[in-house]
């Protein structure tokens, strides 16, 4: 769950976001009270999840960095053990172009609907970032998830398609990437209102409560979609023989320490 703060879940004592699905999983399984991301942004944080190495070990901590071939990923370990490995990354920073598909039998990047007819390659270029900032900051008012990521409903559709065609004897490892907690923080039900870092890089402190409320709505929405995923596994008789791990690559700041967003500090709100 990209940018999900532990302290915004019911199982960690929070009440404003409604997360019954993840809370029940915590109640019936193992809830880790102290777990820390090894970075406060996606690329190095996920590289650590995939390799069990600190960023100093996997050396994938700058925007252009590519995951080295000589590290061993969890997908490689499980593939060697006879699992069919499938990943649905939903963030450009861990797309196949940065070698995060290493060891996966299938690794399908759920790319957003890029502006200006761009694609994954041009999305990494500076001029695309500049044009995107201009568009988001000055030219449009309404925002839509598909221009930033593919929403959880789409992730589940990819999972359903895989489960339909998998061999009944296949042991599988699935990496699923839900983006809802990440900015833009969309209001629900969707009405075109979203608060994005690209258009509000340094908001006034008065926005903190508004951002948090939208963030909580995103978490509630994601929890519902995770519930649909769990029901899918149960309907196919897979639930009782599947290990499920819910985690995050980093957190998010809402002016907790006079800052915003993530990737900026190592305070609890960004790494716990």
């Amino acid at each position: 769950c990209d940018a999900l703060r532990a302290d915004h879940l019911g199982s960690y004592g929070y009440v404003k976001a409604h997360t019954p699905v993840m809370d029940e999983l915590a109640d019936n399984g193992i809830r880790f009270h102290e777990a820390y991301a090894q970075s406060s942004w996606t690329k190095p944080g996920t590289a650590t999840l995939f390799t069990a190495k600190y960023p100093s070990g996997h050396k994938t901590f700058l925007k252009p960095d590519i995951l080295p071939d000589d590290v061993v990923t969890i997908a490689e370990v499980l593939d060697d053990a006879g699992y069919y490995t499938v990943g649905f990354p939903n963030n450009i920073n861990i797309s196949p172009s940065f070698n995060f598909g290493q060891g996966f039998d299938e690794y399908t990047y759920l790319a957003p609907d890029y502006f200006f007819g761009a694609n994954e390659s041009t999305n990494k270029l500076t001029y695309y970032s500049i044009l995107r900032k201009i568009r988001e900051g000055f030219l449009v008012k309404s925002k839509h998830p598909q221009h930033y990521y593919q929403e959880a409903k789409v992730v589940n559709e990819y999972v359903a398609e895989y489960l339909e065609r998998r061999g009944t004897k296949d042991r599988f490892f699935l990496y699923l990437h839900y983006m809802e907690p990440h900015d833009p923080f969309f209001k629900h039900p969707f009405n075109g209102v979203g608060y994005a870092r690209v258009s509000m890089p340094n908001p006034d402190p008065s926005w903190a409560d508004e951002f948090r409320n939208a963030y909580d709505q995103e978490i509630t929405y994601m929890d519902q979609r995770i519930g649909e995923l769990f029901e899918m596994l149960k309907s196919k008789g897979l639930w009782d023989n599947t290990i499920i791990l819910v985690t995050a690559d980093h957190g998010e700041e809402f002016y907790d320490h006079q800052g915003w967003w993530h990737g900026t500090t190592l305070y609890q709100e960004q790494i716990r």
Side-chain angles (χ1 to χ4, degrees):
C1 305
D2 204 307
L4 176 63
R5 286 175 59 151
D7 63 359
H8 276 246
L9 296 174
S11 55
Y12 289 86
Y14 196 67
V15 296
K16 292 184 179 179
H18 301 288
T19 55
V21 174
M22 286 185 279
D23 296 345
E24 183 179 5
L25 188 72
D27 290 342
N28 295 325
I30 299 172
R31 181 181 69 94
F32 292 85
H33 182 67
E34 300 293 339
Y36 293 91
Q38 296 306 311
S39 175
S40 56
W41 71 286
T42 295
K43 179 174 284 186
T46 306
T48 290
L49 289 175
F50 278 16
T51 66
K53 289 181 176 292
Y54 292 114
S56 57
H58 58 64
K59 301 188 185 305
T60 314
F61 42 74
L62 299 176
K63 279 285 186 183
D65 286 348
I66 295 174
L67 192 69
D69 287 329
D70 60 358
V71 299
V72 178
T73 68
I74 186 173
E76 289 176 299
V77 172
L78 290 171
D79 189 65
D80 289 344
Y83 288 82
Y84 192 77
T85 53
V86 180
F88 296 114
N90 203 2
N91 185 311
I92 183 66
N93 290 294
I94 59 168
S95 66
S97 60
F98 294 111
N99 200 36
F100 275 77
Q102 185 174 318
F104 283 91
D105 295 301
E106 300 179 31
Y107 195 71
T108 305
Y109 173 43
L110 307 183
D113 299 337
Y114 293 121
F115 303 125
F116 320 119
N119 54 35
E120 183 183 345
S121 297
T122 53
N123 181 49
K124 293 181 289 185
L125 300 179
T126 301
Y127 77 84
Y128 177 82
S129 297
I130 294 172
L131 289 174
R132 182 167 173 255
K133 288 179 181 178
I134 294 172
R135 182 189 186 278
E136 295 295 276
F138 303 102
L139 301 181
V140 297
K141 296 301 180 184
S142 64
K143 291 178 170 56
H144 303 281
Q146 66 268 24
H147 290 142
Y148 299 87
Y149 56 79
Q150 294 300 331
E151 61 175 296
K153 178 172 69 73
V154 176
V155 177
N156 287 352
E157 289 170 358
Y158 275 84
V159 176
E161 188 276 331
Y162 164 70
L163 294 178
E164 280 299 316
R165 61 180 166 82
R166 65 175 281 269
T168 55
K169 295 183 179 180
D170 282 354
R171 296 194 301 167
F172 62 87
F173 167 67
L174 278 176
Y175 171 72
L176 311 181
H177 194 126
Y178 293 109
M179 280 290 287
E180 270 69 16
H182 194 288
D183 79 284
F185 312 127
F186 288 100
K187 289 191 173 183
H188 289 261
F190 289 125
N191 61 3
V193 175
Y195 306 112
R197 184 176 192 165
V198 66
S199 56
M200 302 176 72
N202 189 28
D204 187 271
S206 62
W207 282 98
D209 287 343
E210 183 77 10
F211 283 15
R212 279 182 182 272
N213 289 337
Y215 180 75
D216 289 341
Q217 290 175 37
E218 291 273 58
I219 294 171
T220 297
Y221 173 82
M222 180 182 66
D223 188 75
Q224 295 168 353
R225 302 288 84 78
I226 291 176
E228 293 170 0
L229 171 74
F230 289 177
E231 289 303 315
M232 189 191 313
L233 294 173
K234 292 173 182 177
S235 71
K236 293 186 175 297
L238 297 169
W239 177 259
D240 291 332
N241 195 34
T242 301
I243 296 171
I244 296 170
L245 172 64
V246 176
T247 189
D249 53 351
H250 55 77
E252 192 79 342
E253 183 177 356
F254 298 96
Y255 212 67
D256 303 65
H257 288 91
Q258 292 70 59
W260 298 98
W261 315 111
H262 57 265
T264 55
T265 73
L266 297 175
Y267 286 115
Q268 295 271 326
E269 59 269 15
Q270 293 200 31
I271 64 169
R272 182 175 175 220

